[in-house]
Amino acid sequence: MEQNHGRGTADTAPDGSEGPARRPAGRLRRGTLALLVAAAVAVPLAGAARPQAPAPPPAQVPPPAVAGLDATYAAHRANAAEAARTAAEHGYRDRAAVERALAARTLLHFDGRGAGRVTEVLGELDHAGRVAVLVPGSDTGIDTYDRFRATALALHRRLTREAPAGTRTAVVAWLGYETPGTFSPSVATTGRAEEAAPGLRDLVRDLRSVAAPRARVSLLCHSYGSVVCARAAAGLDVDDLVFLGSPGTGSGTAAGLRTRARVWAARGADDWVEHVPHLGAGLFGTTVGFGADPVSEEFGARVFTAGDGGHGDYYAPGSPSLANLTRIVLGDTQAVTS
């Protein structure tokens, strides 16, 4: 399997040996990590004092079950509608418009407070035989939700076209945590991921209770979302764990994730995340930086073709990445290109 690990002559001498050319690269990486550490300590969280649109608390409903799915969806739709009215009354027109749109969708969970949390279902979740869970990266909230939803829609449409006759599919867009800002210090640490991991485990357990008994469940984790998935991975009942445009997972190897799932990784040729230093350091009970590159041979994931796209192009219609993601979710792993 041919892999481009984003290294090149910065790490090696012209003859391929680890000669003097390696030392400047090492100093650059260590210097960059030092800046990340300093930022995590000294820079205030971006947007910490930003005013938030008011919203009611989320609907209180029992854990999802096949018999009660319609009632679960209805309760969260009603809560989104109430949040839209509240936001409009307080002058948050843009937020109100997004929440009104959400109130017409299939919501497994909704919480309009703060940046907001949404779990939306596309397709037929009850008795589904193939379920994909999308986990987003930084700068994703209710106000930017439609950008995240577009990726779920692209996958859902392709699954619908290519699923074998009689196979139910569902895509779950899980904005179930407070994502870090791209330019905030929290994006360089595992803190938000550690907070998010229990919620992701709960979601997978709930999905198992309503999907088909032996459903194939795949986690598709983009950017910082790959850190979240890695933190939740140990013992998680999923079949595939996919890292897209990942800055690292916090683990040195795929085996270190302690998951029974197949571990996949991909990076587009024009994805800026290739230039993120793959280092990590402990700091005040959290980790700054995320360690090994998931598309490196040393990490040990199954690396697949993502094409020439950038950081936001993994679900682009017609892309090699979307084609391979569809094959992984459907279980046609022999057709995945590498």
Side-chain angles (χ1 to χ4, degrees):
M1 180 184 297
E2 292 186 4
Q3 301 173 9
N4 177 359
H5 307 316
R7 287 181 170 78
T9 58
D11 288 348
T12 57
D15 64 357
S17 64
E18 293 187 352
R22 184 178 182 87
R23 288 194 289 273
R27 286 196 295 270
L28 175 62
R29 289 173 179 163
R30 288 192 294 273
T32 305
L33 181 62
L35 289 174
L36 289 173
V37 172
V41 175
V43 181
L45 288 177
R50 189 179 306 161
Q52 302 286 353
Q60 297 299 310
V61 295
V66 172
L69 265 182
D70 288 342
T72 298
Y73 296 151
H76 291 300
R77 281 197 298 263
N79 188 258
E82 183 182 355
R85 289 190 294 271
T86 303
E89 289 168 359
H90 288 81
Y92 292 87
R93 292 190 297 272
D94 292 344
R95 170 64 72 91
V98 175
E99 290 172 334
R100 278 194 295 270
L102 284 166
R105 297 171 184 167
T106 307
L107 302 181
L108 200 59
H109 182 72
F110 176 83
D111 184 351
R113 298 172 299 179
R117 303 186 184 191
V118 180
T119 304
E120 181 179 358
V121 177
L122 304 171
E124 301 174 288
L125 182 56
D126 53 317
H127 304 300
R130 303 288 186 272
V131 180
V133 180
L134 275 60
V135 181
S138 60
D139 286 324
T140 309
I142 284 182
D143 297 317
T144 59
Y145 176 75
D146 280 351
R147 182 180 63 195
F148 173 48
R149 185 177 192 261
T151 64
L153 279 171
L155 178 62
H156 172 58
R157 288 167 181 151
R158 184 137 187 176
L159 286 173
T160 300
R161 283 202 315 269
E162 298 188 13
T167 299
R168 287 191 178 192
T169 65
V171 175
V172 180
W174 184 74
L175 174 55
Y177 75 109
E178 184 179 355
T179 68
T182 298
F183 298 106
S184 71
S186 54
V187 80
T189 75
T190 59
R192 296 285 177 90
E194 289 160 359
E195 294 169 2
L200 184 55
R201 293 190 191 103
D202 290 345
L203 173 75
V204 171
R205 184 195 62 235
D206 290 344
L207 295 179
R208 285 291 183 192
S209 72
V210 295
R214 288 182 293 277
R216 184 184 189 90
V217 177
S218 303
L219 280 187
L220 312 184
C221 316
H222 179 244
S223 195
Y224 188 88
S226 62
V227 188
V228 175
C229 291
R231 281 293 184 269
L236 198 63
D237 189 10
V238 297
D239 299 276
D240 298 284
L241 185 57
V242 185
F243 300 129
L244 301 167
S246 174
T249 66
S251 175
T253 63
L257 297 171
R258 295 182 292 131
T259 176
R260 70 170 184 85
R262 293 181 182 88
V263 179
W264 305 82
R267 186 170 63 221
D270 198 31
D271 190 337
W272 56 261
V273 85
E274 176 183 358
H275 305 293
V276 172
H278 293 287
L279 299 169
L283 182 71
F284 302 137
T286 190
T287 301
V288 179
F290 306 116
D293 185 348
V295 301
S296 69
E297 185 175 358
E298 294 79 9
F299 188 77
R302 301 173 183 222
V303 179
F304 63 91
T305 303
D308 296 330
H311 195 60
D313 297 330
Y314 291 95
Y315 296 90
S319 66
S321 178
L322 182 60
N324 279 325
L325 290 171
T326 303
R327 293 164 186 149
I328 290 169
V329 173
L330 293 178
D332 189 11
T333 57
Q334 295 302 312
V336 174
T337 60
S338 60

